[in-house]
Coordinates of all heavy atoms in Angstrom, one line a residue:
C1 N 6.3 -6.5 13.4 CA 6.3 -7.3 14.7 C 4.9 -7.8 15.0 O 4.5 -7.8 16.2 CB 6.8 -6.4 15.8 SG 7.2 -7.3 17.3
R2 N 4.3 -8.4 14.0 CA 3.0 -9.0 14.2 C 2.9 -10.4 13.5 O 3.4 -10.5 12.4 CB 1.9 -8.1 13.7 CG 1.8 -6.8 14.5 CD 0.7 -5.9 13.9 NE -0.6 -6.5 14.1 CZ -1.7 -6.0 13.6 NH1 -1.7 -4.9 12.7 NH2 -2.9 -6.5 13.8
V3 N 2.3 -11.3 14.2 CA 2.2 -12.7 13.6 C 1.4 -12.6 12.3 O 0.3 -12.0 12.3 CB 1.6 -13.7 14.6 CG1 1.4 -15.0 14.0 CG2 2.4 -13.8 15.9
G4 N 1.9 -13.2 11.3 CA 1.2 -13.3 10.0 C 1.3 -12.0 9.2 O 0.6 -11.9 8.1
K5 N 2.0 -11.0 9.6 CA 2.2 -9.8 8.9 C 3.6 -9.7 8.3 O 4.0 -10.7 7.6 CB 1.9 -8.6 9.8 CG 0.6 -8.6 10.5 CD -0.6 -8.5 9.6 CE -1.9 -8.5 10.4 NZ -3.1 -8.4 9.6
G6 N 4.3 -8.7 8.5 CA 5.7 -8.5 8.1 C 5.8 -7.8 6.7 O 4.8 -7.3 6.2
T7 N 7.1 -7.7 6.2 CA 7.3 -6.9 5.0 C 6.6 -7.4 3.8 O 6.1 -6.6 3.0 CB 8.9 -6.8 4.8 OG1 9.4 -8.1 4.6 CG2 9.6 -6.1 5.9
H8 N 6.7 -8.7 3.6 CA 6.1 -9.3 2.3 C 4.6 -9.0 2.3 O 4.0 -8.7 1.3 CB 6.4 -10.8 2.2 CG 5.9 -11.4 1.0 ND1 6.3 -11.0 -0.3 CD2 5.0 -12.4 0.7 CE1 5.7 -11.7 -1.2 NE2 4.9 -12.6 -0.6
Y9 N 3.9 -9.2 3.5 CA 2.5 -9.0 3.6 C 2.2 -7.5 3.3 O 1.3 -7.2 2.6 CB 2.0 -9.4 5.0 CG 0.5 -9.1 5.2 CD1 -0.4 -10.1 4.8 CD2 0.1 -8.0 5.9 CE1 -1.8 -9.8 5.0 CE2 -1.3 -7.8 6.1 CZ -2.2 -8.7 5.6 OH -3.5 -8.5 5.8
G10 N 3.0 -6.6 3.9 CA 2.9 -5.2 3.7 C 3.0 -4.8 2.3 O 2.2 -4.0 1.7
I11 N 4.0 -5.3 1.6 CA 4.2 -5.0 0.1 C 2.9 -5.5 -0.7 O 2.4 -4.7 -1.5 CB 5.4 -5.7 -0.4 CG1 6.7 -5.1 0.2 CG2 5.5 -5.6 -1.9 CD1 7.9 -5.9 0.1
G12 N 2.4 -6.6 -0.4 CA 1.3 -7.2 -1.0 C 0.0 -6.3 -0.8 O -0.8 -6.1 -1.7
R13 N -0.1 -5.8 0.4 CA -1.3 -5.0 0.7 C -1.2 -3.6 0.0 O -2.2 -3.1 -0.5 CB -1.3 -4.7 2.2 CG -1.8 -5.9 3.0 CD -3.2 -6.3 2.8 NE -4.1 -5.3 3.3 CZ -5.4 -5.3 3.1 NH1 -6.0 -6.2 2.2 NH2 -6.2 -4.4 3.6
I14 N 0.0 -3.0 -0.1 CA 0.1 -1.7 -0.8 C -0.2 -1.9 -2.3 O -0.9 -1.1 -2.9 CB 1.5 -1.1 -0.6 CG1 1.8 -0.8 0.9 CG2 1.6 0.2 -1.4 CD1 0.7 0.0 1.6
D15 N 0.3 -3.0 -2.8 CA 0.0 -3.4 -4.2 C -1.5 -3.6 -4.4 O -2.1 -3.1 -5.4 CB 0.7 -4.7 -4.6 CG 0.4 -5.1 -6.0 OD1 0.6 -4.3 -6.9 OD2 0.0 -6.3 -6.2
H16 N -2.2 -4.2 -3.4 CA -3.6 -4.4 -3.5 C -4.4 -3.0 -3.4 O -5.3 -2.8 -4.2 CB -4.1 -5.3 -2.3 CG -5.6 -5.3 -2.1 ND1 -6.5 -5.9 -2.9 CD2 -6.4 -4.6 -1.1 CE1 -7.7 -5.7 -2.5 NE2 -7.7 -5.0 -1.4
F17 N -3.9 -2.1 -2.6 CA -4.5 -0.8 -2.5 C -4.5 -0.1 -3.8 O -5.4 0.6 -4.2 CB -3.8 0.1 -1.4 CG -4.0 -0.4 0.0 CD1 -3.0 -0.1 1.0 CD2 -5.0 -1.2 0.4 CE1 -3.2 -0.5 2.3 CE2 -5.2 -1.7 1.7 CZ -4.2 -1.3 2.6
I18 N -3.3 -0.2 -4.5 CA -3.1 0.5 -5.7 C -4.1 0.0 -6.8 O -4.8 0.7 -7.5 CB -1.7 0.4 -6.2 CG1 -0.8 1.2 -5.3 CG2 -1.5 1.0 -7.6 CD1 0.7 1.0 -5.5
R19 N -4.1 -1.4 -6.8 CA -5.0 -2.0 -7.8 C -6.5 -1.7 -7.5 O -7.3 -1.4 -8.4 CB -4.8 -3.5 -7.8 CG -3.5 -3.9 -8.6 CD -3.4 -5.4 -8.7 NE -3.1 -6.1 -7.5 CZ -3.9 -6.8 -6.8 NH1 -5.2 -7.0 -7.2 NH2 -3.5 -7.4 -5.6
S20 N -6.9 -1.7 -6.3 CA -8.2 -1.4 -5.9 C -8.6 0.0 -6.2 O -9.7 0.3 -6.7 CB -8.4 -1.7 -4.4 OG -9.7 -1.3 -3.9
C21 N -7.8 1.0 -5.8 CA -8.1 2.4 -5.9 C -8.1 2.8 -7.4 O -8.9 3.6 -7.8 CB -7.1 3.2 -5.2 SG -7.5 5.0 -5.0
S22 N -7.2 2.2 -8.2 CA -7.2 2.5 -9.6 C -8.1 1.6 -10.5 O -8.1 1.7 -11.7 CB -5.7 2.3 -10.2 OG -5.4 1.0 -10.1
Q23 N -8.9 0.8 -9.8 CA -9.8 -0.2 -10.5 C -9.0 -1.0 -11.5 O -9.3 -0.9 -12.7 CB -11.0 0.6 -11.1 CG -11.9 1.2 -10.0 CD -13.1 2.0 -10.6 OE1 -13.6 1.5 -11.6 NE2 -13.5 3.0 -9.9
N24 N -8.0 -1.7 -11.0 CA -7.2 -2.5 -11.9 C -6.5 -1.7 -13.0 O -6.5 -2.0 -14.2 CB -7.9 -3.7 -12.5 CG -8.1 -4.8 -11.5 OD1 -7.2 -5.1 -10.7 ND2 -9.3 -5.5 -11.6
Y25 N -5.9 -0.6 -12.6 CA -5.1 0.3 -13.4 C -5.9 1.0 -14.6 O -5.3 1.3 -15.6 CB -3.9 -0.5 -14.0 CG -3.2 -1.3 -13.0 CD1 -3.1 -2.7 -13.2 CD2 -2.6 -0.8 -11.8 CE1 -2.4 -3.5 -12.2 CE2 -2.0 -1.6 -10.9 CZ -1.9 -2.9 -11.1 OH -1.2 -3.7 -10.2
T26 N -7.2 1.2 -14.3 CA -8.0 1.8 -15.4 C -8.3 3.3 -15.0 O -8.8 4.0 -15.8 CB -9.3 1.1 -15.6 OG1 -10.1 1.0 -14.4 CG2 -9.0 -0.4 -16.1
K27 N -8.1 3.6 -13.7 CA -8.5 5.0 -13.2 C -7.2 5.6 -12.6 O -6.3 4.9 -12.2 CB -9.6 4.9 -12.2 CG -10.9 4.3 -12.7 CD -11.6 5.1 -13.8 CE -12.9 4.5 -14.2 NZ -13.6 5.3 -15.2
D28 N -7.3 6.9 -12.4 CA -6.2 7.6 -11.7 C -6.2 7.2 -10.2 O -7.2 7.0 -9.5 CB -6.4 9.1 -11.8 CG -5.9 9.7 -13.1 OD1 -5.0 9.0 -13.7 OD2 -6.4 10.7 -13.5
A29 N -5.0 7.1 -9.7 CA -4.8 6.9 -8.2 C -3.4 7.4 -7.9 O -2.5 7.4 -8.7 CB -4.9 5.4 -7.9
Y30 N -3.2 7.9 -6.7 CA -2.0 8.5 -6.3 C -1.5 7.9 -4.9 O -2.3 7.5 -4.1 CB -2.2 10.1 -6.1 CG -2.5 10.7 -7.4 CD1 -3.8 10.8 -7.9 CD2 -1.5 11.2 -8.3 CE1 -4.2 11.4 -9.1 CE2 -1.8 11.8 -9.5 CZ -3.1 11.9 -9.9 OH -3.4 12.4 -11.1
I31 N -0.2 7.9 -4.8 CA 0.5 7.3 -3.6 C 1.2 8.4 -2.8 O 2.0 9.2 -3.4 CB 1.5 6.3 -4.1 CG1 0.9 5.2 -5.0 CG2 2.2 5.7 -2.9 CD1 1.9 4.4 -5.7
L32 N 0.8 8.5 -1.5 CA 1.5 9.4 -0.6 C 2.3 8.5 0.4 O 1.7 7.8 1.1 CB 0.5 10.3 0.1 CG 1.1 11.2 1.2 CD1 2.1 12.2 0.7 CD2 0.0 11.9 2.0
K33 N 3.6 8.7 0.4 CA 4.4 7.9 1.3 C 5.1 8.9 2.3 O 5.7 9.9 1.8 CB 5.5 7.1 0.6 CG 6.3 6.2 1.6 CD 7.2 5.2 0.8 CE 8.5 6.0 0.4 NZ 9.6 5.1 0.0
L34 N 5.0 8.6 3.6 CA 5.5 9.5 4.6 C 6.4 8.7 5.6 O 6.2 7.5 5.7 CB 4.3 10.2 5.3 CG 3.4 11.1 4.5 CD1 2.2 11.5 5.3 CD2 4.1 12.3 3.9
D35 N 7.2 9.5 6.3 CA 8.2 8.9 7.2 C 8.3 9.8 8.4 O 8.2 11.0 8.3 CB 9.5 8.7 6.5 CG 10.5 8.0 7.3 OD1 11.1 8.6 8.2 OD2 10.7 6.8 7.1
I36 N 8.6 9.2 9.6 CA 8.7 10.0 10.8 C 10.2 10.2 11.1 O 11.0 9.2 11.0 CB 8.0 9.4 12.0 CG1 6.5 9.4 11.7 CG2 8.4 10.1 13.3 CD1 5.7 8.6 12.7
Q37 N 10.7 11.4 11.3 CA 12.1 11.7 11.6 C 12.5 11.2 12.9 O 12.0 11.5 13.9 CB 12.3 13.2 11.5 CG 13.8 13.6 11.5 CD 14.0 15.0 11.1 OE1 13.1 15.7 10.5 NE2 15.2 15.6 11.4
G38 N 13.6 10.3 12.9 CA 14.2 9.8 14.1 C 13.1 9.2 15.0 O 13.1 9.5 16.2
Y39 N 12.3 8.3 14.5 CA 11.1 7.8 15.2 C 11.5 7.3 16.6 O 11.0 7.8 17.6 CB 10.3 6.8 14.4 CG 9.2 6.2 15.2 CD1 8.3 7.0 15.8 CD2 9.1 4.8 15.3 CE1 7.2 6.4 16.6 CE2 8.1 4.3 16.1 CZ 7.1 5.1 16.7 OH 6.1 4.5 17.4

């Protein structure tokens, strides 16, 4: 619910985080995904 953001932007950012943290898939990196129950 923000101008210029949305799902596609979010997917791209998570992809960017993974590439950045793993230094373009050359180093170890881990993903923690969490969710709130009945938010």
Side-chain angles (χ1 to χ4, degrees):
C1 194
R2 297 178 66 190
V3 176
K5 308 290 184 182
T7 56
H8 184 60
Y9 180 82
I11 291 165
R13 288 293 290 170
I14 301 304
D15 180 53
H16 167 74
F17 293 156
I18 294 168
R19 285 187 287 107
S20 175
C21 191
S22 66
Q23 297 181 32
N24 281 325
Y25 314 122
T26 63
K27 304 289 183 181
D28 281 332
Y30 295 87
I31 302 164
L32 173 63
K33 187 175 76 164
L34 301 171
D35 185 281
I36 296 170
Q37 187 168 344
Y39 174 53

